[in-house]
Amino acid sequence: MTIRVLLADDQALLRGTFRLLIDSCADMEVVGEAANGREAVDQARTHRPDIVLMDIRMPGMDGLAATAAICEDLELTGTRILVLTMFETEEYVAKALQVGASGFLGKYVTTDVLLAGIRTVAAGESLLSPGATRALITRFLAAPAPGALLAPPERLNDLTPREREVTALAARGKSNNDIAEELFLSVLTVRSHIQRALTKLGARDRAQLVVIAYQTGLVRPTSPPS
């Protein structure tokens, strides 16, 4: 299947570069371009892309607001957001995940990493870069602003012990293959546990599952606040 990508960036030159790169891949195609957040939302509703490659700082509606609008649209449940920005701050990463983004990359990444990231998010996985960022952003995810909780802690009671275990490992950045190897399960079984946890916790995707795991205390930050 071809991964349909929408480009949202206020720099036309970057959009042109991304289009050439993505369209050169046999399994991807660019279906639209947007120069600001409002255009990104409108284009998403028109084209129903699999992935929106979303910049954060854009005029008018920014990328975070656009991400929230797309992820809240019940008709766009099949569209996932991969944030690509020069401003890879802890606050931006945490906010992007909280409003529904499935991945977050800095614009400094190589073309191979970018293309792999698009495929990863399209496959339903979450993606954070660099790896060190995860240890920093967990401080923000574990102490969300009022009203920002994606699920109350008591919702964890709906999970079986195995589902909790698999969810915790996923929140620590483990892939399905890693989890299967660690727990001596098949990858298909791990995928089933993840899907059931998503359904029970009301998570849109794996990235939101990570947020919920930290917010509810299922997983604790690996490093204390400085």
Side-chain angles (χ1 to χ4, degrees), residues 80 150-151 155 194-212:
R80 302 185 185 281
L150 295 182
R155 289 286 293 277
I194 291 289
Q195 188 56 53
R196 284 196 291 270
L198 289 171
T199 300
K200 290 179 179 180
L201 295 175
R204 174 188 173 91
D205 56 23
R206 196 183 186 102
Q208 284 200 348
L209 192 66
V210 171
V211 175
I212 291 171

Side-chain angles (χ1 to χ4, degrees), residues 65-194:
T67 294
I70 291 171
C71 292
E72 290 170 358
D73 192 325
L74 296 180
E75 296 186 356
L76 295 175
T77 55
T79 296
R80 302 185 185 281
I81 310 295
L82 174 56
V83 173
L84 188 67
T85 179
M86 290 294 295
F87 305 98
E88 197 171 5
T89 66
E90 295 93 336
E91 291 88 349
Y92 276 158
V93 176
K95 181 62 175 177
L97 293 179
Q98 287 172 339
V99 298
S102 296
F104 195 105
L105 288 174
K107 285 185 177 177
Y108 57 81
V109 297
T110 64
T111 56
D112 287 344
V113 170
L114 174 60
L115 294 174
I118 292 173
R119 294 184 179 103
T120 296
V121 172
E125 301 284 339
S126 59
L127 180 70
L128 294 176
S129 173
T133 302
R134 182 181 295 278
L136 296 173
I137 68 166
T138 53
R139 297 184 302 194
F140 296 87
L141 298 181
L149 281 173
L150 295 182
E154 56 267 24
R155 289 286 293 277
L156 291 178
N157 296 330
D158 296 336
L159 302 184
T160 66
R162 180 64 87 183
E163 288 164 358
R164 290 167 65 101
E165 187 175 23
V166 169
T167 297
L169 290 173
R172 293 190 179 99
K174 301 282 188 178
S175 68
N176 286 352
N177 287 335
D178 293 335
I179 297 171
E181 183 175 345
E182 183 166 336
L183 299 181
F184 303 101
L185 300 172
S186 71
V187 174
L188 181 60
T189 298
V190 171
R191 190 177 297 119
S192 295
H193 285 311
I194 291 289

Side-chain angles (χ1 to χ4, degrees), residues 21-52:
L21 175 63
I22 292 169
D23 282 344
S24 70
C25 299
D27 61 338
M28 302 182 194
E29 67 171 332
V30 173
V31 296
E33 297 184 24
N36 56 60
R38 174 49 57 193
E39 289 183 8
V41 175
D42 293 341
Q43 291 276 339
R45 289 170 177 162
T46 297
H47 297 291
R48 308 292 178 90
D50 301 304
I51 299 292
V52 180

